[in-house]
Amino acid sequence: MTRAEVQDAVVGALLSVAPELSAAALKPDVPLRDQVDLDSMDVLRFVMEVHRRTHVEVPETDYGRLATIAGAVDYLAGRMAVV
Amino acid sequence: MVAPGQKVPVGAVLALIRGDGEGPSPGAGAPPPMPAPAPAVRASPAARKAAEALHVDLTSVTGTGPGGAITREDVERAASRGRVAAPAAGGMRAAIAAAMSRSKREIPHLYLASTIDLTKATTWMAAENQQRGVERRLLPVALLLKAVAGAVTDVPGLSGFWVEDAFRAGAGVHVGCAIALRDGGLVAPAIHDADRKDLDAIMRDLLDLTGRARGGTLRSSELADPTITVTNLGELGVEEAFAVIYPPQVAIVAFGRIMPRPWAVDGRVEARSTVRVTLSADHRAVDGRRAGQFLAAIERRLQAPELL
């Protein structure tokens, strides 16, 4: 996957959990909890969706690394062979 | 204030009684403004009860009974035809308003609260989740729901309905799980037979129900079936909540935020992971002693998370 594809996967996973969001309005460096209303069930569904799209298993202890879109892309790219 | 024979809405002031020497109060004599009467809908009492339980708008149902009256079967047919009123924000607000007003008007609530040490449960869950792939991970709410379902079987009398001046136990333990919707409002669909499901099955149901509740594709039976409800506001930082019973159910359990609190263990104070749990119960059906036993049963179950 390219970095852009990882970003698409993260945003796509987020939109699948919170379909009311607009991709264009999401700010990559602002914590998701400050721009999206997510409860723990949503976070789990987001992590499951990220897994489905990127095949990266995010352990519970690493959830904090997904706090922003940019952070999530960095983290996932680091776990994958990103070109 | 109201002339004999005049029809007025329920709750309207009929008359004011003055003591000796009291004059008419300012404005007396002019009838108070009345809300416009609702359009008359011919429906049997059973149909009205079913419509309330199934969130069906009676004005949208075609009656097949005598004189075009709506029967319970008509309501159930309308409900089974597809989506229930859930995502229609206006209808949902009205349904919540009607249910909550009825609850506070009719149900003498009793409230009990307790703080539960969740350290064992959260530690056990964290260790479990380390072994589990993302598709099988547990959330604390699954443990809390299962503990409530188990406590219902330990202490009878809280899972069921107050109907016709008597408690009627539910046919199974169907735990309603309050789910807030993104555009406001909430629904509380049932996790059916929660007492007989393991934590994995409860998690699967929760994920499924949350997704479908927010997508507006719940089935009407899922909303009508709960025999007891659980609400969880802890993620918003709420420490405790005293919830309003969803009639005709007789109990609702509310969990607050899971947070560290100073806690005495073996004579020493430690920071432990804790949660406030409150029970609102219908005092017509349940007494304080039984309600207390129920809260104690929830706590006991949460101290043995591996058995949940």
Side-chain angles (χ1 to χ4, degrees), chain A residues 9 12 15 20 25-28 30-31 34 45 48-49 53-54 58-59 62 65 72 83:
Chain A
L15 293 179
E20 75 280 10
L26 288 168
K27 300 182 183 73
V30 174
D34 293 342
R45 290 170 66 215
M48 288 166 72
E49 197 58 32
R53 290 166 190 246
T54 65
V58 182
D62 283 353
R65 307 280 296 275
V83 291

Short mmCIF file of all heavy atoms in Angstrom, two decimals, chain A residues 9 12 15 20 25-28 30-31 34 45 48-49 53-54 58-59 62 65 72 83:
data_model
loop_
_atom_site.label_atom_id
_atom_site.label_comp_id
_atom_site.label_asym_id
_atom_site.label_seq_id
_atom_site.Cartn_x
_atom_site.Cartn_y
_atom_site.Cartn_z
N ALA A 9 -7.62 4.32 3.66
CA ALA A 9 -8.18 3.22 4.47
C ALA A 9 -8.61 3.74 5.84
O ALA A 9 -9.68 3.37 6.34
CB ALA A 9 -7.13 2.12 4.62
N GLY A 12 -11.65 5.96 5.32
CA GLY A 12 -12.77 5.09 4.95
C GLY A 12 -13.31 4.34 6.15
O GLY A 12 -14.53 4.20 6.32
N LEU A 15 -15.33 6.75 8.23
CA LEU A 15 -16.62 7.08 7.63
C LEU A 15 -17.60 5.91 7.74
O LEU A 15 -18.80 6.11 7.83
CB LEU A 15 -16.45 7.46 6.16
CG LEU A 15 -15.69 8.76 5.88
CD1 LEU A 15 -15.57 9.01 4.39
CD2 LEU A 15 -16.40 9.95 6.53
N GLU A 20 -22.01 10.13 9.01
CA GLU A 20 -22.44 11.52 8.88
C GLU A 20 -21.26 12.46 8.63
O GLU A 20 -21.44 13.64 8.31
CB GLU A 20 -23.20 11.97 10.14
CG GLU A 20 -22.36 12.25 11.38
CD GLU A 20 -21.94 10.99 12.13
OE1 GLU A 20 -22.15 9.89 11.59
OE2 GLU A 20 -21.38 11.10 13.23
N ALA A 25 -13.89 17.49 5.67
CA ALA A 25 -13.89 18.31 6.89
C ALA A 25 -12.97 17.74 7.97
O ALA A 25 -12.70 18.41 8.97
CB ALA A 25 -15.31 18.41 7.43
N LEU A 26 -12.48 16.51 7.78
CA LEU A 26 -11.65 15.89 8.82
C LEU A 26 -10.24 16.48 8.79
O LEU A 26 -9.62 16.58 7.73
CB LEU A 26 -11.57 14.38 8.59
CG LEU A 26 -12.85 13.61 8.90
CD1 LEU A 26 -12.76 12.18 8.37
CD2 LEU A 26 -13.14 13.61 10.39
N LYS A 27 -9.77 16.87 9.96
CA LYS A 27 -8.41 17.46 10.03
C LYS A 27 -7.44 16.39 10.52
O LYS A 27 -7.63 15.82 11.60
CB LYS A 27 -8.43 18.66 10.99
CG LYS A 27 -9.40 19.75 10.55
CD LYS A 27 -9.36 20.93 11.50
CE LYS A 27 -10.37 21.99 11.11
NZ LYS A 27 -11.77 21.61 11.42
N PRO A 28 -6.39 16.12 9.75
CA PRO A 28 -5.52 14.98 10.06
C PRO A 28 -4.76 15.10 11.38
O PRO A 28 -4.42 14.08 11.98
CB PRO A 28 -4.55 14.94 8.88
CG PRO A 28 -4.76 16.16 8.08
CD PRO A 28 -6.05 16.78 8.48
N VAL A 30 -5.80 16.90 14.16
CA VAL A 30 -6.64 17.19 15.33
C VAL A 30 -7.12 15.86 15.91
O VAL A 30 -7.53 14.97 15.15
CB VAL A 30 -7.85 18.06 14.93
CG1 VAL A 30 -8.80 18.25 16.10
CG2 VAL A 30 -7.37 19.41 14.39
N PRO A 31 -7.00 15.68 17.25
CA PRO A 31 -7.44 14.41 17.83
C PRO A 31 -8.87 14.08 17.39
O PRO A 31 -9.73 14.95 17.36
CB PRO A 31 -7.39 14.67 19.34
CG PRO A 31 -6.35 15.73 19.50
CD PRO A 31 -6.44 16.59 18.27
N ASP A 34 -11.81 15.09 19.38
CA ASP A 34 -12.24 16.49 19.36
C ASP A 34 -13.05 16.85 18.12
O ASP A 34 -13.60 17.94 18.02
CB ASP A 34 -11.01 17.43 19.43
CG ASP A 34 -10.32 17.33 20.78
OD1 ASP A 34 -10.95 16.82 21.73
OD2 ASP A 34 -9.14 17.73 20.88
N ARG A 45 -15.19 -0.66 16.54
CA ARG A 45 -15.62 -0.88 15.15
C ARG A 45 -14.63 -0.23 14.18
O ARG A 45 -14.35 -0.76 13.11
CB ARG A 45 -17.03 -0.31 14.95
CG ARG A 45 -18.09 -1.15 15.68
CD ARG A 45 -19.46 -0.46 15.70
NE ARG A 45 -20.02 -0.33 14.39
CZ ARG A 45 -20.75 0.70 13.98
NH1 ARG A 45 -20.99 1.71 14.81
NH2 ARG A 45 -21.24 0.75 12.77
N MET A 48 -11.63 -2.48 14.02
CA MET A 48 -11.98 -3.67 13.23
C MET A 48 -11.96 -3.34 11.73
O MET A 48 -11.50 -4.13 10.91
CB MET A 48 -13.36 -4.19 13.64
CG MET A 48 -13.36 -4.86 15.01
SD MET A 48 -15.02 -5.12 15.69
CE MET A 48 -15.60 -6.42 14.68
N GLU A 49 -12.49 -2.19 11.41
CA GLU A 49 -12.57 -1.77 10.00
C GLU A 49 -11.16 -1.48 9.44
O GLU A 49 -10.85 -1.81 8.30
CB GLU A 49 -13.48 -0.54 9.91
CG GLU A 49 -14.00 -0.23 8.54
CD GLU A 49 -14.79 -1.34 7.86
OE1 GLU A 49 -15.47 -2.11 8.56
OE2 GLU A 49 -14.69 -1.45 6.62
N ARG A 53 -9.35 -3.41 6.32
CA ARG A 53 -8.84 -2.72 5.12
C ARG A 53 -7.32 -2.80 4.98
O ARG A 53 -6.79 -2.68 3.87
CB ARG A 53 -9.26 -1.24 5.17
CG ARG A 53 -10.76 -1.06 4.95
CD ARG A 53 -11.23 0.34 5.34
NE ARG A 53 -12.68 0.40 5.35
CZ ARG A 53 -13.42 1.13 4.52
NH1 ARG A 53 -12.83 1.89 3.63
NH2 ARG A 53 -14.74 1.11 4.60
N THR A 54 -6.60 -2.94 6.10
CA THR A 54 -5.13 -2.90 6.02
C THR A 54 -4.48 -4.22 6.46
O THR A 54 -3.27 -4.38 6.29
CB THR A 54 -4.55 -1.79 6.92
OG1 THR A 54 -4.86 -2.12 8.29
CG2 THR A 54 -5.15 -0.43 6.58
N VAL A 58 -4.33 -4.08 15.44
CA VAL A 58 -3.88 -3.07 16.39
C VAL A 58 -4.19 -3.57 17.80
O VAL A 58 -5.35 -3.72 18.15
CB VAL A 58 -4.60 -1.72 16.16
CG1 VAL A 58 -4.07 -0.67 17.12
CG2 VAL A 58 -4.44 -1.26 14.71
N PRO A 59 -3.16 -3.86 18.60
CA PRO A 59 -3.46 -4.32 19.97
C PRO A 59 -4.09 -3.19 20.78
O PRO A 59 -3.88 -2.01 20.49
CB PRO A 59 -2.09 -4.72 20.53
CG PRO A 59 -1.08 -4.07 19.66
CD PRO A 59 -1.72 -3.80 18.34
N ASP A 62 -2.23 -0.21 21.88
CA ASP A 62 -1.78 0.76 20.87
C ASP A 62 -2.91 1.66 20.37
O ASP A 62 -2.70 2.46 19.45
CB ASP A 62 -1.16 0.04 19.65
CG ASP A 62 0.26 -0.44 19.94
OD1 ASP A 62 0.79 -0.10 21.02
OD2 ASP A 62 0.81 -1.16 19.10
N ARG A 65 -2.28 5.24 19.67
CA ARG A 65 -1.53 5.65 18.47
C ARG A 65 -2.46 6.05 17.33
O ARG A 65 -2.01 6.62 16.34
CB ARG A 65 -0.61 4.50 18.01
CG ARG A 65 0.30 3.96 19.10
CD ARG A 65 1.52 4.82 19.32
NE ARG A 65 2.39 4.87 18.17
CZ ARG A 65 3.34 3.97 17.89
NH1 ARG A 65 3.55 2.96 18.70
NH2 ARG A 65 4.10 4.10 16.82
N ALA A 72 -2.45 7.77 13.03
CA ALA A 72 -2.87 6.43 12.63
C ALA A 72 -2.15 6.01 11.36
O ALA A 72 -1.68 4.86 11.25
CB ALA A 72 -4.38 6.39 12.42
N VAL A 83 5.03 1.69 0.43
CA VAL A 83 5.94 2.15 -0.63
C VAL A 83 5.81 3.66 -0.82
O VAL A 83 4.84 4.25 -0.44
CB VAL A 83 5.64 1.44 -1.98
CG1 VAL A 83 6.03 -0.02 -1.87
CG2 VAL A 83 4.18 1.59 -2.35
#
